[in-house]
Amino acid sequence: MYEAYFRHKFTNELVLYIFLLLLLAISPFLFIWELINNVRLCFQSQNENMSGKVVLITGASSGLGEFMAYEYAKRGARLAIIAREKPESRLKQVADTARGLGSPDVLFIYADVSKVEECRKFVDDTIKHFGQLDHLVCNAGIGSTYSSTNDVTKFEPVMVSSLLQLMHAVNMSCIKFTRELYVQDINFWGSIYPTHFAIPHLKKTHGKIIVNSSYAGLIHPANCGIYSASKAALISFYESLRFEVSPAITITILKLGFIQTNIITAKYLNDSAGSHLISKDLVAVVPAMEVEPCTKAIVDGVCKGATSISEPRMMKGLVLVTFLFPQLYNFITKTFSHKIFKT
C-alpha cells in the first residue's frame, strides 16, 4: 500500500519531514504527558514494602552493586549477593555491612556470571536458602575503553566474538585459546543467564528484573565502542523481553550516565584495556553523580514501579541532542575527548 512512497528519493525524504512535522505538532502534548507521569512518580507515596522480600544482586562486591545492596538492606530486604572470587573481593565485608544496616539475612556467593552453570547454581541456591525471589538486579559488568590500535582480542570479555563461540560450540580442536579470558560476554550474557533461570521464580512472586545498562548504549561516546555495543544489546534485549513477561514481571532498565564509582577512574579504564588511553579520572572532567543518591533514586524508582530510570537526569537531554542535533553532539564529544584521552 505504501511502497510507492519509498521508491523515489524525493517522496522518501518527504515522508520523513511530514512525520517530523506531525511529531513536532503533538510534542507539547507528549511533553506534558511525560511531565505528569514523572511528577506523579516523584510524589507517589505508595512504595513496594521490601521488608522480608528477597533481592539477588550480581556484581555486588563494589561500586553500584555494593551500594544497592546497602539501600535494599535499609529497607529490610533479605539479600543474595554475587561476585567473582578474587584476592581483592570485598563480598564478605559487603554482606556484614548490609546486615548491620538492617537486612535480616544475607547470603553471599562467589560466582562468575559469564558461566551459565554458575548462574543456574546461584539462582537455585538463592531459592533453596530463601524459598522465593522478588527482585533480580543484573548489575555485573566491566567497563572498557577501545582504540583501533589495541589488540582487539583484549575486548572479548566485554563483547563476545560470535565466530569464536561457534567454533567452540562445534568443538573445533584446531582452535587454541592462548589467553585465559572469558569467551562469554560478561556485560551481555552475564545478565541474560541469571535472568533466564530467575524468570520462573519471579513469575510466582510478580517480581522485578532490574538491569544495569548505560547511556553509552544510546549516545556512543568516543573510544567506548565495545562497551557501548554491549550496553545497547542489553537495552534491546530487555525492551523486547518486557513484552513477553509483562504483567507477571516488571522490567526496569537503568540508563545511567557517569556515577562516582571505580569504573570511571583512569586506573580501572586503562587496566581494562591493557593500555594507557585515559589521562585522568573522568570525574575530574565530566559531571558525575555520587553513588549513594544514585542508588537511592534507583531503588525508590523500582519500588514505585518505574520501567526506566535515568540518572543523572540531565543525560536524557543529551540523548535528544544526539538524535536531533548530531553536529552539536559531535562538537561536545570531541571537546571532552581531548580532555580525557591521551593523544
Side-chain angles (χ1 to χ4, degrees), residues 139 152 176 256 306:
N139 171 71
V152 71
K176 295 180 180 180
L256 304 179

Side-chain angles (χ1 to χ4, degrees), residues 89-147:
S89 178
R90 298 176 51 257
L91 194 60
K92 185 179 184 304
Q93 294 96 305
V94 173
D96 292 340
T97 302
R99 291 188 191 99
L101 289 172
S103 179
D105 192 2
V106 182
L107 173 69
F108 66 94
I109 303 170
Y110 293 107
D112 187 338
V113 296
S114 73
K115 297 179 180 178
V116 64
E117 288 305 319
E118 293 195 25
C119 291
R120 185 199 304 271
K121 187 176 186 307
F122 70 65
V123 172
D124 288 346
D125 288 348
T126 299
I127 298 301
K128 287 176 185 175
H129 185 86
F130 294 108
Q132 67 186 70
L133 180 60
D134 298 281
H135 288 195
L136 170 67
V137 181
C138 297
N139 171 71
I142 56 176
S144 179
T145 54
Y146 166 76
S147 169

Side-chain angles (χ1 to χ4, degrees), residues 159-172:
M159 198 63 178
V160 69
S161 162
S162 299
L163 179 59
L164 287 177
Q165 274 197 318
L166 176 61
M167 289 174 173
H168 180 70
V170 298
N171 295 316
M172 292 180 67

Side-chain angles (χ1 to χ4, degrees), residues 58 119 136-140 186-199 202 208-214 230-246 249-255 307-308:
T58 65
C119 291
L136 170 67
V137 181
C138 297
N139 171 71
I186 294 172
N187 281 9
F188 183 71
W189 293 110
S191 291
I192 307 310
Y193 290 153
T195 294
H196 176 77
F197 298 120
I199 281 175
L202 290 169
K208 295 175 179 176
I209 299 169
I210 300 94
V211 58
N212 183 7
S213 185
S214 167
S230 68
K231 293 301 186 178
L234 274 183
I235 294 171
S236 294
F237 177 84
Y238 283 96
E239 288 290 4
S240 176
L241 181 65
R242 73 163 83 248
F243 294 107
E244 182 180 346
V245 299
S246 179
I249 299 172
T250 300
I251 293 178
T252 304
I253 300 176
L254 310 180
K255 298 173 183 136
T307 56
S308 179

